[in-house]
Amino acid sequence: MAASVVDRPKPASPTENQARTPGYYVRQRLLGNGPAMAGLLFIVLCTVVALLGYLILPDASPDANNGLVQLQKQPPGTTVTILRLPRLDSAAATGAPSVLSRLLSGTPAQVEEVPLSRYRIAGDTLEAQPFQAKGALAEPVRRYALTRVAGHTGTPAALQRIIETERLQQRTYWLGTDKAGRDELSRLLLGTRISLGIGLVAVLISMFIGVAIGAVAGYSGGWLDSLLLGVMTVVWSIPGIMLVIAISLAFGSKGVWTSFVAVGLTMWVDVARVVRGQMLSLREKTFVEAGRVLGLPTGRLLTCHLLPNLFGPLIVIATSNFAAAILLEAGLSFLGLGVQPPAPSWGLMVKEGYDLLGTRAGLWLTLMPSVAISLLVLSFNLLGNGLRDAYDPKTPLG
């Protein structure tokens, strides 16, 4: 009689019995949230654009401020022939800037640019008809010696070849130009650096101040908690835009860094209130009592044992403050109290387009930076909502 085979349970795979950390489930919930991941992808894309900056811009001049008067308010998709004449002044004699210098502040223009409608080479002379916008007065034909255009001497055939390959350029303004004839695409891309920069600085300042005040108030309690809570309530009752205006006026100057600091100093209350509320509940926990019994210093107890438990809520409120800072900076720049020209702030670009509403160019010059602001703020809000759900243990895995 054949021996019966006893069915034995299959051994569990190592991954089935492996303990999972809370961070694993947070990541899984976040990765399964489509809108949050779309927002994160757009934020990463904007961050890459902001970091590369001038290295990827069509107009790599400082602040993308290379304006051509003849090309004012041109519609998207305009293609123009640009004649690039060597400068005769000392500016052209300066050496090429380093990669770091180009990355941080751009490349000063080394040539004089003239937009053309048409041109022809006759003998040793280049006859150029300057670009004429609709409704503008016609300019007379300009004549340039080929040696002047090429920048050195040579036979007419050799100079013509150099001019056609190096001095004449077909340039397309994919998003048109603004009222100063500047490339709208370059300024829109460079504006991500200001928007993300002000969001980052504002979040860092608000986190530093808010966490410190909220932790002290929530952990200490008593009269100190009441005093700090009163300060939070007073600051909370002041409209954010009015507080930023007051801080900007107190600094006595307007500009990029003033806006960064002013926005950051107005957003710490949200952080402080969240940290205080969490501290009030955490300070009664058993592990805190054990730390006190063991004689741990208060500073170490706060920084090493209490604050790490607030990481999730702080990440969520940081994304919310990031979006709020971008909107606040745009509002300040629109009012003329934030970033000053010629810096390419999105709020300032909306203001420039708003001043032209009623004209053909006003619509797209207002719409494009407005859409950029809306998409970036929406992305941070979607990411914040996704992080909030990811840190909620009741949210099912995606």
Side-chain angles (χ1 to χ4, degrees), residues 17-154:
N17 293 332
Q18 182 180 358
R20 301 294 189 184
T21 63
Y24 169 81
Y25 295 103
V26 170
R27 290 192 296 271
Q28 290 300 111
R29 293 189 190 100
L30 184 60
L31 292 174
N33 191 321
M37 294 308 297
L40 178 60
L41 180 62
F42 186 76
I43 293 170
V44 170
L45 177 63
C46 290
T47 303
V48 172
V49 171
L51 291 176
L52 295 179
Y54 293 101
L55 299 181
I56 62 173
L57 298 185
D59 177 12
S61 62
D63 291 322
N65 195 40
N66 183 25
L68 301 176
V69 179
Q70 300 92 331
L71 299 179
Q72 293 176 342
K73 297 176 285 188
Q74 293 300 308
T78 300
T79 300
V80 183
T81 301
I82 302 295
L83 175 62
R84 298 163 53 85
L85 297 173
R87 287 186 179 273
L88 300 178
D89 52 15
S90 58
T94 59
S98 63
V99 175
L100 181 61
S101 177
R102 291 169 51 203
L103 180 66
L104 297 178
S105 56
T107 306
Q110 299 292 324
V111 295
E112 176 186 352
E113 297 185 338
V114 181
L116 305 178
S117 294
R118 58 182 181 274
Y119 69 92
R120 75 183 187 94
I121 296 177
D124 59 354
T125 303
L126 172 66
E127 298 181 355
Q129 175 65 55
F131 182 84
Q132 179 182 354
K134 293 183 179 180
L137 296 176
E139 294 188 31
V141 175
R142 300 182 185 179
R143 292 176 173 83
Y144 303 94
L146 296 185
T147 54
R148 163 74 176 94
V149 178
H152 53 80
T153 58

Side-chain angles (χ1 to χ4, degrees), residues 64 218 233 244 283 291:
T233 304
V244 171
R283 69 179 184 178

